């Protein structure tokens, strides 16, 4: 009863921000993302004769955490009807909890590894729904390429899951350059941040009203491989989400000086004909969207900026999958 899964992180092009049901993690709006091949989490789960569950993430034993990883394992154990305790070892190749979608890859890998170790044999829709219970964005990391998480209408969440729009082969020259400006843990988690936004931002209603149009453009842009539509819609959508964050009480401002520096740089390059766009999540990192033909030039330009610590280049990546290379 041991299984290992690898799941890629995903970065939203149309953001998920706000829950209509906190217990089932049901979103107010649908969202669209790209699964990223450069940002992954690998997790091994074994059910055995252990006295208690042990969970080690990036060499640190996990006690209690906001996403309730232990509760997620318990949820799966109940579904599978088993009682054995679990040993879980997990590692990611990028900083956790700093706005780089670590919970997406983490909970997706955990869901696939745990259900497989429990011999459940779920299909992708069931896996996505289950991963969603751990963390909303994790529902999208079950699939590869470009992915849409359908918000669903039902109270029980059975129609709120992610499905693929196109596989990664559809647009191999699409790039997302993750610009790490700080590796510090963020001060307001996305979970707390979105709850505060729904409760206090006067702009949340405006955000929701504009989503359907953004989703329409994004799906269309992805299908046509129209980079201008995809990039400009993603950038505008990210700025709208941040407008709802900065107008909560108290305000949530995830940006650092280097975040803003990169945003200005991207806009400046664009004016000069180097087409690129930015998007940011619940953290200070900037993700630059570009095409392969411009990647080198953008990396060179970025190397001249002060506040940038590191870049990670992502292409459209694979769905979550099993491997027999166990971590223990
Ligand atoms: C800004 O999926 O981390 O990255 O469902 O509470 O676990 P929970 O939140 P989470 O939020 C992600 C928010 C975002 C936008 C996005 O990925 O769509």
């Amino acid at each position: 009863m041991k299984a290992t899964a690898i799941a890629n992180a995903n970065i939203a092009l149309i953001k998920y921000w706000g829950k209509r049901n906190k217990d089932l993690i049901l979103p107010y709006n649908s969202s669209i993302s790209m699964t990223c091949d450069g940002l992954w989490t690998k997790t091994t789960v074994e059910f055995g004769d252990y006295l208690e569950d042990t969970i080690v993430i990036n060499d640190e034993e996990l006690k209690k955490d906001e996403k309730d990883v232990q509760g997620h394992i318990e949820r799966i154990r109940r579904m599978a009807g088993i009682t054995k305790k679990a040993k879980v070892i997990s590692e990611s190749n990028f900083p956790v909890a700093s706005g780089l979608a670590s919970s997406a890859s983490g909970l997706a890998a955990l869901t696939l590894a745990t259900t497989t170790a429990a011999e459940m044999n779920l299909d992708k829709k069931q896996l996505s729904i289950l991963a969603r219970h751990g963390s909303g964005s994790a529902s999208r990391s079950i699939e590869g390429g470009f992915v849409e998480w359908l918000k669903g209408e039902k109270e029980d969440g059975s129609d709120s899951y992610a499905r693929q729009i196109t596989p990664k082969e559809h647009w191999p020259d699409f790039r997302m350059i993750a610009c790490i400006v700080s590796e510090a843990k963020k001060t307001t988690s996305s979970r707390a941040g979105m709850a505060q936004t729904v409760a206090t931002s006067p702009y949340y209603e405006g955000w929701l009203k504009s989503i359907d149009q953004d989703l329409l453009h994004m799906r269309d842009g992805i299908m046509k491989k129209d980079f201008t539509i995809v990039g400009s819609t993603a950038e505008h959508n990210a700025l709208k989400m941040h407008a709802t964050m900065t107008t909560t009480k108290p305000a949530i401002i995830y940006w650092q000086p280097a975040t803003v520096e990169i945003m200005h740089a991207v806009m400046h390059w664009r004016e000069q004909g180097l087409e690129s766009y930015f998007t940011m999540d619940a953290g200070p990192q900037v993700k630059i969207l570009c095409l392969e033909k411009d990647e080198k030039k953008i990396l060179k330009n970025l190397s001249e900026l002060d506040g940038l610590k590191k870049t990670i280049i992502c292409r459209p990546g694979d769905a979550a999958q099993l491997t027999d290379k166990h971590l223990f």
Side-chain angles (χ1 to χ4, degrees):
M1 294 185 100
K2 186 195 264 192
T4 300
I6 298 183
N8 285 313
N10 70 78
I11 301 294
L13 299 167
I14 303 296
K15 309 295 185 186
Y16 143 55
W17 196 246
K19 296 176 179 66
R20 67 174 201 275
N21 181 321
K22 290 195 177 83
D23 297 327
L24 299 177
I25 308 209
L26 297 175
Y28 272 114
N29 63 276
S30 297
S31 53
I32 294 178
S33 59
M34 182 185 101
T35 301
C36 300
D37 75 341
L39 305 170
W40 48 259
T41 301
K42 183 174 177 180
T43 302
T44 300
V45 178
E46 180 178 51
F47 287 105
D49 295 326
Y50 301 111
L51 293 177
E52 53 180 27
D53 290 336
T54 45
I55 304 162
V56 177
I57 298 180
N58 290 333
D59 297 326
E60 247 181 67
E61 189 163 346
L62 188 78
K63 293 290 175 214
K64 223 180 149 32
D65 71 309
E66 197 197 24
K67 306 274 174 177
D68 194 14
V69 167
Q70 218 263 328
H72 196 59
I73 294 167
E74 185 53 40
R75 178 181 296 122
I76 295 172
R77 193 161 29 214
R78 264 199 320 270
M79 286 171 72
I82 54 177
T83 50
K84 283 188 187 300
K85 300 292 181 194
K87 176 173 172 180
V88 178
I89 303 234
S90 182
E91 54 187 46
S92 298
N93 73 328
F94 59 96
V96 280
S98 60
L100 268 189
S102 56
S103 72
S105 57
L107 268 301
L110 181 72
T111 302
L112 180 56
T114 311
T115 54
T116 308
E119 293 167 1
M120 287 168 75
N121 206 8
L122 302 183
D123 65 23
K124 278 198 172 157
K125 179 176 171 182
Q126 292 168 315
L127 283 168
S128 176
I129 288 177
L130 194 49
R132 190 201 76 217
H133 282 81
S135 179
S137 55
S139 66
R140 299 187 307 239
S141 273
I142 295 295
E143 263 298 359
F146 293 87
V147 178
E148 177 163 2
W149 172 15
L150 308 164
K151 66 180 162 106
E153 304 292 339
K154 294 187 182 156
E155 294 280 309
D156 67 358
S158 58
D159 57 351
S160 183
Y161 66 99
R163 66 173 182 207
Q164 190 174 64
I165 300 174
T166 61
K168 64 174 194 174
E169 291 78 15
H170 170 75
W171 207 349
D173 57 334
F174 193 94
R175 292 288 178 278
M176 187 173 295
I177 304 176
C179 301
I180 315 295
V181 305
S182 161
E183 304 207 19
K185 274 204 174 183
K186 56 194 173 193
T187 45
T188 309
S189 69
S190 44
R191 187 158 294 184
M194 68 176 82
Q196 189 171 310
T197 303
V198 173
T200 67
S201 173
Y203 295 157
Y204 191 68
E205 215 172 294
W207 157 261
L208 284 183
K209 272 198 192 130
S210 73
I211 281 283
D212 282 344
Q213 186 80 341
D214 286 359
L215 288 164
L216 218 62
H217 284 311
M218 187 56 72
R219 280 186 218 110
D220 187 48
I222 290 170
M223 292 314 295
K224 290 185 186 145
K225 294 203 282 183
D226 186 322
F227 182 64
T228 304
I229 293 182
V230 169
S232 59
T233 307
E235 185 175 294
H236 185 58
N237 183 265
L239 287 170
K240 282 188 288 192
M241 176 181 71
H242 281 269
T244 71
M245 296 164 165
T246 56
T247 48
T248 62
K249 284 184 181 173
I252 305 170
I253 303 177
Y254 287 110
W255 303 348
Q256 293 296 326
T259 314
V260 181
E261 187 189 10
I262 298 170
M263 290 160 67
H264 280 294
V266 168
M267 291 168 85
H268 176 65
W269 303 335
R270 208 155 64 213
E271 270 166 27
Q272 294 180 326
L274 180 60
E275 195 176 11
S276 52
Y277 300 88
F278 57 74
T279 182
M280 292 85 55
D281 293 286
Q285 331 304 357
V286 182
K287 293 95 186 185
I288 298 178
L289 310 177
C290 68
L291 292 174
E292 185 187 15
K293 67 180 176 58
D294 296 322
E295 182 188 314
K296 281 211 173 72
K297 175 87 182 116
I298 289 172
L299 286 175
K300 188 180 168 295
N301 287 355
L302 280 171
S303 70
E304 286 156 15
L305 300 182
D306 285 338
L308 182 63
K309 294 209 157 50
K310 193 165 118 191
T311 51
I312 305 173
I313 300 163
C314 305
R315 302 160 190 238
D318 283 317
Q321 48 196 280
L322 294 166
T323 165
D324 52 15
K325 296 198 177 64
H326 304 304
L327 289 171
F328 64 91

